[in-house]
Amino acid sequence: MAEQHEKALVPQIRFTGFTDPWEQRKLGELFEESDERASDREILSVSVANGIYPASESDRETNPGASLANYKVVHSGDVVYNSMRMWQGAVDASRYDGIVSPAYVVAKPNSEVYARFFARLLRQPMLLKQYQQVSQGNSKDTQVLKFDDFASIEISMPASENEQRRIGAFFDRLDSLITLHQRKYDKLCVLKKSMLDKMFV
């Protein structure tokens, strides 16, 4: 039984040099909820599609209302999630310092955690299902994932922070390449449309 359990904790693909089985840990052992507040920093948003980004880069108008007094502080490396949309994957490890709406949960990692690895792990479909199961509320529109419920979830992770770094960096590079090629694609589409408009009477 133990052998079978250990096999389940070894990924199909590994970077060279890493052979130890992954560990099972509860998220509450790796993160603690942060409740630091401030109002004088850049406002950040968290979306399913784009992760964490400065709200000033959004197309949507950001109007937080009269007071930012209750906004939560985010430090680079903190994991932030939208408590009502976590089951859709509205979670990321921040690359920015700033503040977020009180509707978000800010989870500060301990020293064993490389945040960019968790940016990917926490969006895996198997975990999205678990968020939905432990969220509180009657319907999808009203479900809320409180930190205590987030903390109770068990995950598999590399014990080695180096392996976490390698995996996180690999997917960050892939995302950068995808963004770069998407921009090139968009520019070529604009060029094509312009040439079609000008070369045909």
Side-chain angles (χ1 to χ4, degrees):
M1 183 70 178
E3 245 178 69
Q4 189 182 0
H5 185 62
E6 201 166 276
K7 272 184 195 166
L9 295 180
V10 177
Q12 291 179 5
I13 298 177
R14 304 288 289 276
F15 285 105
T16 309
F18 299 106
T19 55
D20 291 341
W22 284 19
E23 297 180 336
Q24 278 205 299
R25 302 288 293 276
K26 283 204 163 130
L27 288 170
E29 297 168 27
L30 305 167
F31 295 92
E32 63 180 49
E33 187 172 13
S34 172
D35 204 31
E36 189 184 346
R37 309 278 172 151
S39 57
D40 57 348
R41 304 180 192 194
E42 183 164 34
I43 299 170
L44 303 175
S45 289
V46 186
S47 80
V48 175
N50 303 315
I52 297 174
Y53 58 94
S56 57
E57 290 177 12
S58 172
D59 295 336
R60 286 167 38 201
E61 200 169 311
T62 53
N63 181 13
S67 173
L68 299 176
N70 273 333
Y71 271 49
K72 296 179 179 177
V73 173
V74 176
H75 297 285
S76 179
D78 288 349
V79 164
V80 184
Y81 70 84
N82 181 329
S83 58
M84 292 184 73
R85 295 189 57 201
M86 182 61 154
W87 59 274
Q88 293 176 305
V91 57
D92 197 9
S94 186
R95 300 165 182 268
Y96 306 95
D97 292 330
I99 52 175
V100 290
S101 153
Y104 294 116
V105 173
V106 179
K108 194 168 283 308
N110 69 22
S111 58
E112 299 173 73
V113 169
Y114 179 64
R116 295 307 300 161
F117 168 80
F118 278 84
R120 298 317 184 307
L121 176 68
L122 294 174
R123 287 171 171 241
Q124 289 304 300
M126 59 190 177
L127 282 177
L128 299 186
K129 279 183 194 162
Q130 284 195 61
Y131 304 148
Q132 202 164 357
Q133 286 165 2
V134 300
S135 289
Q136 298 173 26
N138 299 328
S139 70
K140 283 185 177 178
D141 295 333
T142 60
Q143 283 188 323
V144 174
L145 182 68
K146 296 186 172 169
F147 180 79
D148 287 348
D149 297 316
F150 170 81
S152 72
I153 292 171
E154 210 167 72
I155 52 96
S156 298
M157 61 175 278
S160 156
E161 195 183 326
N162 279 339
E163 187 172 6
Q164 293 178 42
R165 280 181 184 280
R166 288 287 298 276
I167 294 168
F170 173 75
F171 284 105
D172 280 344
R173 273 198 306 275
L174 267 184
D175 280 347
S176 295
L177 275 173
I178 290 165
T179 302
L180 182 69
H181 287 291
Q182 184 65 47
R183 284 190 189 131
K184 284 182 184 172
Y185 169 80
D186 292 343
K187 281 181 185 171
L188 286 169
C189 286
V190 170
L191 174 65
K192 178 184 172 185
K193 186 181 182 311
S194 170
M195 297 308 279
L196 283 167
D197 290 346
K198 290 172 184 170
M199 293 179 82
F200 291 86
V201 177

